[in-house]
Amino acid sequence: MSFLMVMACTLGAVAVVHSVTFLIGYRIGRYNVVDVAWGLGFIAVAAVCAAIGVGDRQRRVLLLVLIAIWAVRLSWHMLVKSAGKGEDPRYHDLLSGDFSVPHVLRKIFVVQAAATWLVSMPIQRSAVEGPTPESLRPVVAVGIGLWTLGMLFEAVGDFQLRRFKQDPANKGKIMEQGLWAWTRHPNYFGDACVWWGLWLVTITGWQSLATMPYPVLMTYFLVYATGGRRTEKAMAGRPGFTDYQRRVSFFFPRPPKRESS
């Protein structure tokens, strides 16, 4: 099975996931359902790679398991988070009031489907490569460790934020407890760690370094395109948020700055 065939099949799988998601969003009148499909698209890619790839079977299965664990948790979290609510302000801003089908497809679903397919290129490439050399097994171990760190940051950060919002006394307040006291976006930081970890798992030699732009692209999405910067733009003006920005790191965790006396 050639790399081009794997690419074609994964592209088809991603197209199906996002097409179905668009139809669901169109029917219910909100397109933030694409956030639920974000993880599912990666599962589709990993499943195709595991099923039809001719590369090292152990690595294909490992990547499928790691991606499935990450994606199922994320998709369930996004489903619960958006249930019973209206459109996400980020997508209102992105669409600029134009909810016509061509505009929605172009600005949201085609972009996210393309991003899923491109970011997963290291997984696709590794599906046709041989076993990881013994000398690179430590790199795989580091990758699994980084993936684990990212999962913890994402899961714990989301849990802490959900508990905070469930308390009526915190309505209108800025979450700055737990991991949120160390980074303003523990979920996005965790996501970046997950994808850099997965990339390390795919390393089989020097030629694998050619796929480094793809985790860089994912990090760009998490920081700028649809992640931290866009979230903070929506939060601008909220009481206490400017002070929170001043004291707490934007992305990489670090101890919060002390209040000046």
Side-chain angles (χ1 to χ4, degrees):
M1 182 67 65
S2 70
F3 179 43
L4 290 177
M5 183 61 70
V6 169
M7 291 172 63
C9 291
T10 55
L11 181 60
V14 170
V16 169
V17 169
H18 283 271
S19 295
V20 172
T21 305
F22 165 74
L23 293 175
I24 293 173
Y26 182 80
R27 182 176 180 83
I28 67 177
R30 58 181 175 86
Y31 295 108
N32 56 358
V33 290
V34 74
D35 292 336
V36 178
W38 178 245
L40 301 181
F42 287 109
I43 292 179
V45 169
V48 168
C49 290
I52 71 173
V54 295
D56 182 63
R57 183 175 183 274
Q58 186 178 38
R59 187 176 59 247
R60 284 184 284 133
V61 172
L62 173 61
L63 286 168
L64 174 58
V65 170
L66 294 178
I67 289 173
I69 293 172
W70 165 80
V72 168
R73 190 214 70 84
L74 179 62
S75 293
W76 177 253
H77 170 72
M78 297 309 300
L79 181 64
V80 172
K81 180 181 177 181
S82 62
K85 298 181 180 178
E87 189 62 89
D88 191 305
R90 291 177 301 150
Y91 294 118
H92 269 297
D93 179 55
L94 185 64
L95 294 171
S96 301
D98 183 357
F99 287 87
S100 62
V101 169
H103 189 68
V104 169
L105 284 171
R106 180 172 60 86
K107 295 289 285 188
I108 297 180
F109 289 90
V110 171
V111 170
Q112 293 230 23
T116 300
W117 187 68
L118 287 173
V119 166
S120 63
M121 201 60 67
I123 287 87
Q124 299 178 53
R125 181 63 191 171
S126 73
V128 297
E129 293 182 345
T132 303
E134 191 67 32
S135 61
L136 291 177
R137 292 298 175 90
V139 176
V140 174
V142 171
I144 295 174
L146 191 56
W147 176 90
T148 303
L149 175 66
M151 280 294 302
L152 287 173
F153 258 83
E154 277 197 79
V156 173
D158 285 338
F159 174 76
Q160 290 175 339
L161 182 60
R162 183 169 65 252
R163 289 288 299 272
F164 179 82
K165 288 184 174 181
Q166 287 174 345
D167 187 346
N170 293 325
K171 186 175 182 180
K173 295 182 179 180
I174 300 297
M175 169 58 165
E176 48 184 306
Q177 303 168 11
L179 295 179
W180 299 84
W182 288 67
T183 166
R184 304 201 296 271
H185 302 285
N187 47 352
Y188 294 136
F189 170 75
D191 218 0
C193 289
V194 163
W195 282 96
W196 281 102
L198 290 171
W199 177 71
L200 290 176
V201 172
T202 69
I203 298 296
T204 58
W206 289 107
Q207 72 280 4
S208 300
L209 297 179
T211 62
M212 183 182 287
Y214 299 104
V216 171
L217 179 63
M218 174 62 104
T219 306
Y220 170 79
F221 284 134
L222 293 169
V223 175
Y224 295 104
T226 60
R229 294 299 185 194
R230 186 171 291 276
T231 299
E232 298 210 347
K233 183 178 179 181
M235 295 182 67
R238 289 184 57 179
F241 186 64
T242 300
D243 181 61
Y244 178 60
Q245 288 179 304
R246 181 183 61 79
R247 291 184 293 102
V248 178
S249 171
F250 169 69
F251 194 73
F252 292 102
R254 63 163 174 74
K257 294 180 180 178
R258 294 182 179 180
E259 293 281 3
S260 56
S261 56

